[in-house]
Amino acid sequence: MYGFRLGLFLLITTVVTAEVQLQPLNAAVLRGSKARFNCSTTQPPSVMTWMVNGRLVVTILQASEVFNSTDRYSATNFTTPGNYRWEIVISNVQRDDAGEVTCQVLGGAARMATLSVQERGSVEIVGGNQTKTEGAQTEFQCRAVGWFPEPNVSWSVNGVAYSCNTSSVAQGNLFNSSCTLAVTAVKNSSVQCLVKIPALSTPDSNTVFLTVEKLAKRDQTVLIAVTVAFSAAALLFLIIYGIVFFCKRRKKKSSYQEELRRAQIQSQNRTPATENVRGWDNRGYIGDGHDGHANGGVWYTNHSNKHQAPDGFFHDGRRNHRHMTIV
Ligand SMILES: *[C@@H]1O[C@H](CO)[C@@H](O)[C@H](O)[C@H]1NC(C)=O
Ligand SMILES: *[C@@H]1O[C@H](CO)[C@@H](O)[C@H](O)[C@H]1NC(C)=O
Ligand SMILES: *[C@@H]1O[C@H](CO)[C@@H](O)[C@H](O)[C@H]1NC(C)=O
Ligand SMILES: *[C@@H]1O[C@H](CO)[C@@H](O)[C@H](O)[C@H]1NC(C)=O
Ligand SMILES: *[C@@H]1O[C@H](CO)[C@@H](O)[C@H](O)[C@H]1NC(C)=O
Ligand SMILES: *[C@@H]1O[C@H](CO)[C@@H](O)[C@H](O)[C@H]1NC(C)=O
Ligand SMILES: *[C@@H]1O[C@H](CO)[C@@H](O)[C@H](O)[C@H]1NC(C)=O
Ligand SMILES: *[C@@H]1O[C@H](CO)[C@@H](O)[C@H](O)[C@H]1NC(C)=O
């Protein structure tokens, strides 16, 4: 009895002392891909069992026998001397595979790893490529739809990383996340949205381009165009004004001359003949002063007696006109 107990104790001790290792302890894979785990012991295992989420999926017997529950689970022998190692591969991983993966060797402690089954969604930058004028405020919104777990969204503008405040909504097991990047349009840039979950070794991304139109140059051309147009208009106006002014002046001048002439005539009419040399030439001049005006020779009389009008005048009833020629 005692001997049996001792024997059992020894057996248990030796079995329990068998070292069991499971690798990796954490695995994150995309749904539909493969998950791999290695389990190794230092003692030849009489029985090795694999469980996924509490379900027995693979049993390996020392007698070179492998039983698998479905063909989604397979085991490969990687045993080397002193290291009894088996790898199991879970193909086409499903969401219900997520959880605990356990390797147990008879007489050894169970080893447990964690399997995370993740979902890869889509990445979209709302609005796509953008064209902005220089200095304009621009927003880019990145939408990551259908991810699990909640993804880490970040930006890269011309290769420079920007973190962002991701806001997410969950629908069932999936997350929609969005994140907005506000930039000032300074130069042509490539704007990349990066979406990362642990199962992805490299993030998924989407890239759009920000084309910046140079405002200053455009303004300058506009300014130049406006200036030129304005100058041309001003010039045209000046020319027209000049012409009009010139014409007016000429007209004025001629009328002025005429007036001058008239004035001269009048002054000649009013001036006593003695003072008007030209008067001599005038045949209408009568120097005899017969009408009794002072000094005689008065040309023009507009008063009272019509009959006093000198010869050479004709009378129109109101005024006396004198036809004459100036030499
Ligand atoms: C399991 O071990 C084998 C042999 O060392 C190795 O080739 C394989 O990559 C390992 N698998 C995992 C998931 O570590
Ligand atoms: C695993 O491989 C080792 C060495 O190649 C071999 O001795 C052992 O029998 C194999 N075990 C099974 C179950 O195939
Ligand atoms: C698992 O089962 C499938 C069929 O159900 C079989 O083809 C495959 O070889 C098995 N894997 C191992 C490692 O025995
Ligand atoms: C954005 O522009 C790039 C090149 O300029 C082009 O290849 C791409 O198709 C454009 N994307 C969209 C959504 O228009
Ligand atoms: C998200 O990614 C950024 C940059 O790669 C990193 O600094 C940050 O720790 C990540 N956050 C999470 C929650 O993974
Ligand atoms: C994230 O949002 C919080 C609160 O809305 C704000 O205080 C913080 O500055 C934001 N961080 C970034 C990087 O935008
Ligand atoms: C996530 O986005 C998709 C596509 O835009 C939409 O159909 C779905 O309703 C969204 N889910 C949530 C929780 O907003
Ligand atoms: C951006 O690129 C466009 C054409 O690709 C060019 O016309 C424009 O001048 C560029 N803008 C800047 C700020 O370099």
Side-chain angles (χ1 to χ4, degrees):
M1 188 66 184
Y2 176 79
F4 172 73
R5 274 185 177 172
L6 182 67
L8 192 64
F9 174 78
L10 284 174
L11 180 72
I12 289 168
T13 311
T14 52
V15 168
V16 164
T17 52
E19 222 169 283
V20 182
Q21 280 198 327
L22 179 60
Q23 281 180 320
L25 291 176
N26 282 293
V29 298
L30 292 176
R31 184 173 57 84
S33 65
K34 288 179 175 176
R36 298 166 184 271
F37 294 90
N38 273 343
C39 190
S40 59
T41 71
T42 49
Q43 305 289 321
S46 49
V47 181
M48 182 186 278
T49 55
W50 287 89
M51 303 223 285
V52 173
N53 256 349
R55 289 173 280 122
L56 181 69
V57 293
V58 174
T59 305
I60 301 158
L61 299 179
Q62 203 171 14
S64 303
E65 276 182 284
V66 176
F67 303 96
N68 54 12
S69 59
T70 76
D71 59 357
R72 281 209 305 119
Y73 307 94
S74 63
T76 310
N77 188 356
F78 280 112
T79 297
T80 54
N83 185 5
Y84 304 86
R85 177 188 293 240
W86 285 85
E87 178 190 69
I88 72 153
V89 178
I90 308 169
S91 304
N92 188 20
V93 169
Q94 297 303 305
R95 285 300 285 268
D96 62 1
D97 291 328
E100 294 174 355
V101 173
T102 312
C103 168
Q104 190 159 21
V105 175
L106 184 65
R111 300 290 172 190
M112 203 181 74
T114 304
L115 173 63
S116 168
V117 179
Q118 310 195 339
E119 297 270 1
R120 175 190 228 160
S122 61
V123 187
E124 183 204 0
I125 296 177
V126 179
N129 292 339
Q130 290 194 33
T131 301
K132 293 282 166 177
T133 48
E134 208 168 30
Q137 275 292 315
T138 311
E139 280 197 351
F140 291 94
Q141 197 200 1
C142 184
R143 278 176 57 78
V145 173
W147 292 77
F148 181 86
E150 186 178 343
N152 188 350
V153 183
S154 62
W155 293 94
S156 172
V157 179
N158 292 328
V160 179
Y162 293 91
S163 66
C164 78
N165 271 349
T166 310
S167 64
S168 299
V169 283
Q171 191 174 39
N173 292 319
L174 300 177
F175 288 89
N176 284 358
S177 299
S178 72
C179 167
T180 302
L181 173 74
V183 293
T184 306
V186 174
K187 58 177 177 180
N188 287 342
S189 309
S190 79
V191 177
Q192 189 178 36
C193 175
L194 302 151
V195 179
K196 178 89 169 73
I197 52 173
L200 291 174
S201 52
T202 56
D204 277 1
S205 67
N206 195 329
T207 304
V208 297
F209 294 92
L210 169 63
T211 305
V212 178
E213 286 177 337
K214 281 179 181 164
L215 184 68
K217 226 171 187 174
R218 256 178 111 208
D219 252 16
Q220 267 177 13
T221 49
V222 167
L223 199 72
I224 286 166
V226 165
T227 308
V228 167
F230 223 83
S231 306
L235 198 65
L236 199 67
F237 175 76
L238 275 177
I239 288 167
I240 289 169
Y241 182 79
I243 289 168
V244 168
F245 185 74
F246 184 70
C247 289
K248 261 192 176 168
R249 256 196 91 153
R250 270 187 76 126
K251 219 172 157 190
K252 217 177 184 179
K253 212 174 176 181
S254 55
S255 66
Y256 169 74
Q257 281 173 341
E258 213 157 283
E259 218 153 292
L260 197 69
R261 203 185 305 163
R262 219 177 290 157
Q264 267 180 345
I265 291 161
Q266 286 189 356
S267 70
Q268 277 173 350
N269 289 354
R270 282 190 184 126
T271 313
T274 46
E275 287 171 20
N276 194 337
V277 182
R278 277 180 188 172
W280 289 107
D281 298 322
N282 202 310
R283 299 197 142 267
Y285 173 66
I286 298 159
D288 61 4
H290 81 280
D291 69 354
H293 277 269
N295 294 332
V298 173
W299 286 104
Y300 179 60
T301 53
N302 197 21
H303 63 267
S304 57
N305 201 349
K306 292 165 191 172
H307 306 289
Q308 282 185 333
D311 294 337
F313 285 91
F314 73 89
H315 186 243
D316 70 357
R318 282 177 296 154
R319 262 182 94 163
N320 289 320
H321 289 263
R322 175 81 194 271
H323 289 273
M324 58 191 292
T325 12
I326 295 168
V327 183

